[in-house]
Amino acid sequence: MRPSEQLHDATAASLREQWRAATVDSVWLRPGDWYHPAVDAVTEAVAARRDATAPTFRLGEVRGGSGVGIAETLDDLAVLYRLVDTEPGLDVLRSLCEGWSAAKDTTEVHGGCMDAESGLPTADYLGVRLAETYGLAGKHAHHAFMTHCLVLIDVAAGDVPPWRRMARSAAMGRALTSALAPGHPMASLGGGAFAVLVGRDWELGETVRRMRDQVNEHADRLQITELMRQPPRIWIEPLPETHARAVNLLDDLRR
């Protein structure tokens, strides 16, 4: 091995250990599952200032396949780039998200129905869940608009650079999944807008409050408050009388 190669290997190894320490201390949830050989390839590319799109795709694929959320995946990569005093380019972020989304093709929600930025399902997927809701209500001689409603969240705040937009979407995905028990149908509508299908019951007010608190908490934690509408708009939208009109409503809300 030439001396220059030895120096590069030592630099990459040092950067990897700094990355591990910094990410475990700040954003990584389970220290024991952080390392994977894909980490080495990303570290080497960044240390050598080479194109990192291929290794970050693989890293995203590994993270998605092991159940790591898109928010945690993006946060982790951001830690590495902060260590070298730069930001990942849009091509690198896109590659990471595409790798993560590709891994989700084998999960219970098909990758094509997932928004890679937020880790939430798309509006099309929510439309399918709405069909189930209307069908079940009709089966029991009820009306879906009497039993359920949509909670809409709008955090858009003007033009946002792509990297920061991804951070905002990731924060929202994490906030909404943290606020609600597993199984609540929700979706990213694009452009900083999100929708959640919830029951019209005595807990509705508490559910909305919990969402608002989680949105604000994650914005503060990820230091993206300046990228979001202040305060975020969160409101209850009644369901239309039919599923077809509900799908039209989602289409109108999409950005």
Side-chain angles (χ1 to χ4, degrees):
M1 182 181 293
R2 294 194 300 267
S4 61
E5 292 176 337
Q6 291 177 334
L7 178 61
H8 169 65
D9 288 347
T11 301
S14 174
L15 180 59
R16 183 195 63 209
E17 292 312 306
Q18 292 177 57
W19 182 13
R20 182 205 300 268
T23 198
V24 167
D25 184 58
S26 58
V27 302
W28 200 256
L29 300 180
R30 298 168 297 278
D33 69 0
W34 180 81
Y35 179 74
H36 184 278
V39 165
D40 291 326
V42 174
T43 308
E44 290 168 7
V46 172
R49 306 287 178 171
R50 296 198 310 264
D51 178 16
T53 52
T56 51
F57 179 92
R58 176 57 183 153
L59 182 64
E61 197 172 35
V62 167
R63 297 313 195 200
S66 61
V68 178
I70 187 61
E72 194 174 0
T73 300
L74 283 165
D75 291 346
D76 178 49
L77 187 67
V79 169
L80 171 63
Y81 275 83
R82 280 198 296 270
L83 289 172
V84 295
D85 198 28
T86 188
E87 287 191 350
L90 180 57
D91 56 341
V92 169
L93 295 173
R94 183 185 297 115
S95 184
L96 181 75
C97 291
E98 287 176 349
W100 184 90
S101 186
K104 290 299 179 181
D105 283 350
T106 58
T107 63
E108 56 185 310
V109 178
H110 191 275
C113 292
M114 294 294 287
D115 168 50
E117 290 188 7
S118 66
L120 298 177
T122 62
D124 290 337
Y125 175 76
L126 182 56
V128 173
R129 297 300 303 272
L130 279 168
E132 297 171 359
T133 301
Y134 278 85
L136 188 61
K139 182 179 178 180
H140 294 284
H142 296 310
H143 296 289
F145 61 84
M146 297 294 293
T147 60
H148 289 78
C149 62
L150 290 172
V151 175
L152 300 177
I153 305 98
D154 184 356
V155 297
D159 292 333
V160 177
W163 161 236
R164 305 297 282 163
R165 184 198 67 223
M166 288 184 178
R168 182 181 69 189
S169 295
M172 286 298 302
R174 182 181 291 178
L176 296 180
T177 53
S178 297
L180 300 169
H184 274 83
M186 59 183 70
S188 169
L189 303 178
F194 303 84
V196 183
L197 179 65
V198 298
R200 273 192 176 277
D201 54 27
W202 61 274
E203 291 186 336
L204 179 57
E206 173 62 18
T207 298
V208 173
R209 184 199 64 77
R210 196 161 57 243
M211 286 187 203
R212 180 178 291 108
D213 289 348
Q214 286 293 327
V215 167
N216 290 327
E217 178 182 328
H218 283 81
D220 289 340
R221 183 181 304 171
L222 295 178
Q223 299 181 335
I224 58 168
T225 304
E226 76 280 3
L227 306 178
M228 297 171 56
R229 178 194 299 271
Q230 293 299 326
R233 290 185 61 210
I234 301 179
W235 73 98
I236 297 169
E237 183 76 23
L239 285 179
E241 291 187 9
T242 67
H243 174 249
R245 291 183 180 178
V247 171
N248 288 338
L249 173 63
L250 288 180
D251 287 339
D252 290 342
L253 293 168
R254 270 199 246 216
R255 294 175 176 168

